[in-house]
Amino acid sequence: MFLKNRHFSIVTCGLLLAVVAGCSGSDLPDSFKARFVYSDRTEGLMKEAQNGVEDLPGVKELLDERFGDPQHLLAWSQLPVDFGGLSGTVAETPAGDVVKDLKLNLSDSFTLEEGQTAVAQFVTGEAAPAVVIITGWDAEKSEAILASAMETAPAQGDLVVIGAGERLQTGRSLYMQHCSHCHGTSGDGNGPTAEYLYPRPRDYRHGVFKFTSTKPQSKVSRDDLTRVLRNGVAGTYMPSFVPMLNDEQLYDVVEYVRFLSMRGEFERKLAGELSADYSQDAVDARKADGESYKDIVSELKDFLAEDMADSLEFVSDDLATSWTEADTDDALITPNSPRVPDSPESRRLGRELYLSKAINCADCHGVAGNGNGPQTTIYEKNPVTQELYSEPGLHDVWDNLNQPRNLTYGIYRGGRRPIDLYRRIYAGIKGSRMPSFKNLKDDEIWHIVNYVLSIPFEPEPGHAPLPAGDVATASNN
Ligand code: HEC
Ligand code: HEC
């Protein structure tokens, strides 16, 4: 795995809010001041749920407190994001009451030029979440000289992070330069170029990505996102960023995409906790049923005061667990048996499965794989509004038209290796209408892979497959 030895120690240590990581917004002219746009779900809540009641914060403030804005990003330690910075521990409990220098064990070498300063934050222990300024570093003694004495003394073993958020900041500037004109400042897929593109740039805010190597219920992995940036998405406007961005830069921008995705997902889920009772629509319905606005607001106040903390914890724990799981070996789809060698017999079996009633790829992709099965002509209902979409065909979770791929072209957005297609069939395409076929046996999936890879080479698509030998695959697995 790429850059596996990174340390994620800020992440493991609980719920503290960590340090600011941004350039100063006040130096920027207004036209450059990008901001995160709140989602429709948040904007659809009654004003008090959005903005808070009396001194109780609403969804917007709860969100800003944890994520900041593009000029003042926050590195919220609950998120499994590598915000950057050097982590370490206090090497020995300082003697005396006035703590102005500290011996530290750092995870990597650290230098501080004459006149430079660094920001350090205590993440665990009595002193946390204190932020101190380091004005000097004695490399020999491994000792930091602090700008001023600490109010609460730290103890041996307390976790400290120096320069938290540096990586996030680099990721942000790369993103603003290379991605935001398509994917938008907030990652809503709505940058100025987006309206001219089909398919549209991904809106990250659902936390859902299509071309993953992970199991159906798992999130996207860092490796998946890196692969998308290296290869681009074939047949779409999503370009490759190699060699424009080097490995380190790819890593930084991937962390920023993950940060934006988690922000969006957190917002959706948090607003979701309130929307059943406090969306403007729900409130209108409650008023029509005779409830007074005053009572609704007072009930919301109780919710914010008594239940919101639990909701916040639930949503953030869920986020941290699921995004962390995606990078584990358990999440990766690994076939139990190697690819069944490609042969006319295997392709024939694959085609049988493709057409079978139980599996029925043809229902969407068509008998000959042209992407024109019966499902492409029906009118679907929007699952949220229950209204019919204006155009026939399938739609993805972003409400975009989502036509099944024309398999006769041999262009695969998620990669053209047999293992890529295996994973596509095993897990489906997340957020799209391409379902998971994980209950098929390994061999069955491999037969289908062999058949799919042969479709572009059939002389008359939909008829007997050609003998093996001229299939579009250089590599096995
Ligand atoms: C010219 C417009 C454009 C630019 C610039 C662009 N993208 Fe994309 N991106 C797209 C489109 C279009 C898609 C959707 C492809 C699809 O749905 O099949 C996409 C999809 C993605 C996906 C989703 C892949 C998946 O599996 O769901 C990621 C991640 C992504 N882009 C990241 C980036 C990053 C990071 C940058 C900047 C370094 C970037 N993109 C720059 C247009 C763009
Ligand atoms: C309910 C409809 C549906 C069924 C059933 C279905 N697909 Fe799909 N398939 C889609 C859609 C929609 C897409 C395009 C998704 C996207 O890119 O957003 C797709 C995309 C694909 C792709 C392109 C992958 C890539 O990387 O670009 C392949 C290959 C594929 N399907 C194979 C199959 C096979 C094989 C079966 C049966 C085992 C199958 N599909 C069943 C709807 C379906």
Side-chain angles (χ1 to χ4, degrees), residues 202 210-211 353-354 359-365 375 394 396 402-405 407 411-415 420-421 424-425 429-430 432-435 437 440 448 452:
R202 188 76 64 253
K210 285 189 173 178
F211 307 112
L353 294 162
Y354 178 97
I359 300 174
N360 211 353
C361 312
D363 197 23
C364 291
H365 292 281
Q375 291 280 338
L394 304 169
D396 61 21
N402 189 217
Q403 296 298 34
R405 200 78 71 246
L407 301 173
I411 295 172
Y412 311 106
R413 294 186 188 169
D420 296 324
L421 288 167
R424 220 53 62 228
I425 294 168
I429 296 179
K430 290 161 194 168
S432 92
R433 294 298 303 279
M434 162 88 186
F437 293 92
L440 295 179
I448 300 175
V452 167

Side-chain angles (χ1 to χ4, degrees), residues 200-472:
R200 292 186 64 103
R202 188 76 64 253
D203 170 356
Y204 310 136
R205 297 173 308 167
H206 288 246
V208 174
F209 291 85
K210 285 189 173 178
F211 307 112
T212 71
S213 60
T214 54
K215 294 196 175 138
Q217 301 313 320
S218 295
K219 297 263 172 217
V220 70
S221 68
R222 286 183 165 95
D223 286 353
D224 289 330
L225 292 170
T226 311
R227 196 203 54 242
V228 165
L229 293 188
R230 283 183 187 285
N231 301 351
V233 178
T236 78
Y237 284 97
M238 171 66 198
S240 154
F241 286 92
V242 173
M244 202 187 308
L245 303 179
N246 64 32
D247 285 0
E248 184 82 13
Q249 290 172 318
L250 288 176
Y251 183 84
D252 292 348
V253 85
V254 161
E255 284 314 283
Y256 194 62
V257 167
R258 295 173 75 256
F259 172 82
L260 289 177
S261 306
M262 291 181 212
R263 183 191 175 281
E265 199 183 341
F266 185 82
E267 177 175 6
R268 282 179 67 79
K269 291 192 166 152
L270 198 62
E273 294 279 303
L274 288 162
S275 56
D277 296 323
Y278 307 106
S279 71
Q280 196 52 56
D281 290 350
V283 171
D284 290 344
R286 292 173 69 175
K287 283 199 298 201
D289 278 350
E291 285 187 66
S292 82
Y293 195 73
K294 214 174 129 222
D295 286 349
I296 298 175
V297 171
S298 133
E299 189 196 295
L300 169 70
K301 214 181 127 190
D302 290 346
F303 182 89
L304 292 177
E306 284 156 30
D307 304 313
M308 201 49 168
D310 281 350
S311 290
L312 280 165
E313 195 177 321
F314 170 75
V315 170
S316 54
D317 281 355
D318 184 41
L319 207 73
T321 311
S322 57
W323 281 90
T324 305
E325 193 261 357
D327 285 316
T328 64
D329 290 346
D330 275 354
L332 187 70
I333 300 168
T334 320
N336 293 313
S337 51
R339 180 185 180 189
V340 174
D342 182 36
S343 68
E345 179 57 8
S346 168
R347 293 181 192 185
R348 192 187 60 75
L349 290 169
R351 177 163 171 72
E352 251 174 54
L353 294 162
Y354 178 97
L355 295 171
S356 69
K357 270 225 173 73
I359 300 174
N360 211 353
C361 312
D363 197 23
C364 291
H365 292 281
V367 171
N370 288 311
N372 59 356
Q375 291 280 338
T376 60
T377 57
I378 54 158
Y379 281 83
E380 282 195 311
K381 260 190 195 164
N382 178 318
V384 178
T385 64
Q386 294 299 316
E387 280 165 30
L388 287 180
Y389 284 109
S390 56
E391 74 273 277
L394 304 169
H395 291 76
D396 61 21
V397 295
W398 295 270
D399 289 342
N400 294 323
L401 186 65
N402 189 217
Q403 296 298 34
R405 200 78 71 246
N406 182 334
L407 301 173
T408 67
Y409 294 155
I411 295 172
Y412 311 106
R413 294 186 188 169
R416 61 199 291 274
R417 298 172 307 166
I419 185 68
D420 296 324
L421 288 167
Y422 179 100
R423 287 175 173 150
R424 220 53 62 228
I425 294 168
Y426 183 95
I429 296 179
K430 290 161 194 168
S432 92
R433 294 298 303 279
M434 162 88 186
S436 154
F437 293 92
K438 69 176 175 141
N439 294 328
L440 295 179
K441 297 195 191 79
D442 260 17
D443 281 7
E444 292 176 323
I445 299 185
W446 284 127
H447 291 316
I448 300 175
V449 169
N450 287 338
Y451 171 61
V452 167
L453 285 170
S454 78
I455 293 176
F457 299 92
E458 289 184 356
E460 289 176 72
H463 294 277
L466 275 182
D470 43 359
V471 177

Side-chain angles (χ1 to χ4, degrees), residues 181-184 189-201:
H181 63 96
C182 284
H183 289 280
N190 216 1
T193 319
E195 62 174 303
Y196 307 104
L197 308 180
Y198 181 81
R200 292 186 64 103

Side-chain angles (χ1 to χ4, degrees), residues 19-22 36 67 69-75 168 172 256 259:
V19 193
V20 177
F36 292 137
F67 297 88
D69 64 54
Q71 273 78 40
H72 308 90
L73 298 172
L74 296 175
L168 195 64
R172 168 201 165 275
Y256 194 62
F259 172 82

